[in-house]
Amino acid sequence: MPETLFYNDALLKSATPAIESRGIIIKEVINKKQLNEFIDFPYRLYKGNKYYVPQLKRDIEDTLSKNKNPAFEFCEAKYWLAYKENKVVGRIAAIINHRYIEKWKNRYIRFGWIDFEQEEEIAKKLLTQVEIWAKEKGMNAVHGPIGFTNFDYAGLLIEGFDQLGTFATIYNYPYYPLFIERAGYQKDVDWVEYKIKLPAVLPKKLEKIAAIVQKRHQFCVVKSATTKDILSYSKDIFRLINSAYSGLYGMVALSEKQIEYSTRKFLSFIRPDFVSLVLDKNNELAAFGITMPSLSLALQKAKGGLYPFGFIHILKALKKNNLGDLCLVAVRKDLQGKGANAILMNELTKSYIKNGIEYAESNPELEENTKVQSIWEYYDTVQHKRRRCYIKYLE
C-alpha cells in the first residue's frame, strides 16, 4: 500500500459518507491526491488577485500532517472537499482541540482552511458537514476560522479587501462573510490590524520614555544579537508567549514539542536586526519583539513554493524592503504596564529607519486589547483591516 498522510483501512471505514446537493458533492479527504487538491485549491481560486498572499505549500502540508504537527497529540481533525461536475469548488477543515475544551470548558469544534467559489450553497454544505461531525462528537458549537493552535491562520477578513495581505494572515473574497452569516454564524470575536507609517527620525518622546524605563527597572537590551543568539532564547520566547497570551481568545499553552516545532517554523526567516530582546536585572527575558521585512510580494512571486526559484524572491525581500511585518510582541506578565513595550518599539524603530522601512503591518490583535494598541500612540497609524471569528451554537 502506498504511504500517504491519510490513507488507511480504518480511515476508509470511518470516512464520512459523501453529501450531494444541487450537484455539489462533499467528500472527506482520505488520500494523498485529495490532500494535494485541498492544498492547491486556493492557489487556483485566487490566481491573479493582487491582494492575496499565497502560503507556502510545504508549511500547509506539515500543519495538516498527523506525522509532523505535534498539535495532533491533543487534536482531532478531518478535511473535506466540495466538488461540482468533478471539479473542486471548495474546502474546509474541522478540528477538535481537546486542551482548548479542557481549559475553556467550551465544547466547541473549530473550522479552518475554508475556501469556496462564489456560490452560497457550497459554503452552506461545507459548514453543514462540520456541524454533522460536531454533533457526532458531542460538541455544542462551531467556531472559526481558527486553526489547531493560536499560531495557525485565524480570522475571516471582513474589512480591508483592497489591502495587500501578509504571510501570517488569511485573505478571502468579500462574499465569504456574507455566505457564512447566511449559514447561521454570528460574530464571536474580532481582530483589527494597523498600517503604521514609520517616521524619518526616531520620535524624541519614545526615545526619552525608553531611556527612563530602562534605567528605572534595570532593563537590558540585547545588542548586536546574531541568529544563533536569538535562537538560544527560543524556548524562553515561547514560554513567555504561553504566559503573556494565556488569557487571549482560544489560547492554549504550547507544549515542549510544539515549541520546538514553532521555533523551526516561525524563526526560520528571522533577521537579527529586526528582533528586539529585553532582559530584566537578572538577565531573564522580560519582553521581545519579533518582526521581519514583509514577505508578501515575495510570496506572490514564489506562488506557494520555495523551489526552484521561490527562495530567491524571499531572500531578496529579506535583504531589501520598505515594508515590515510585526509578527510577535510580548511582555512578561509581571512587567506589563511598566514601559517595556516602549523599549521594544524604540529599538525596532531605530532598526526600521536604518533599513529603510517606511511602513509596517501590525498583524491581528484583538479589538479590545488596548495594551497592544497603546504601542501605536507614537506613530501615524490607520486601522485598515478587520477579521472575525464566527460562532454557531448547535441545537
Side-chain angles (χ1 to χ4, degrees), residues 220-223 225-240 259 263 267 275 277-279 283-288 290:
C220 173
V221 176
V222 178
K223 296 288 187 180
T226 64
T227 300
K228 185 177 180 181
D229 292 331
I230 294 167
L231 289 174
S232 72
Y233 285 99
S234 60
K235 288 189 176 182
D236 293 326
I237 287 170
F238 284 103
R239 286 168 183 162
L240 196 158
I259 288 174
T263 297
L267 300 185
V275 176
L277 302 175
V278 178
L279 309 181
N283 284 324
E284 295 180 355
L285 189 64
F288 70 85
I290 296 176

Side-chain angles (χ1 to χ4, degrees), residues 16 27 62 103 123 144 150-151 175 201 220 225 254 278 313 347 355 371 389 395:
T16 309
K27 293 183 179 180
D62 287 352
K103 175 182 176 179
N150 288 57
F151 295 93
Y175 62 81
V201 296
C220 173
L254 296 174
V278 178
H313 299 303
E347 295 300 315
N355 286 285
K371 289 182 180 178
C389 183
E395 297 178 359

Side-chain angles (χ1 to χ4, degrees), residues 14-19 26-28 80 129 136:
S14 64
T16 309
I19 294 179
I26 307 298
K27 293 183 179 180
E28 185 177 347
W80 290 277
Q129 185 65 78
E136 289 175 357

Side-chain angles (χ1 to χ4, degrees), residues 31-48:
N31 57 46
K32 181 68 174 180
K33 179 179 179 293
Q34 290 173 314
L35 176 64
N36 288 337
E37 291 178 323
F38 185 95
I39 293 172
D40 289 342
F41 175 65
Y43 299 90
R44 172 166 56 84
L45 184 65
Y46 290 95
K47 185 177 181 180

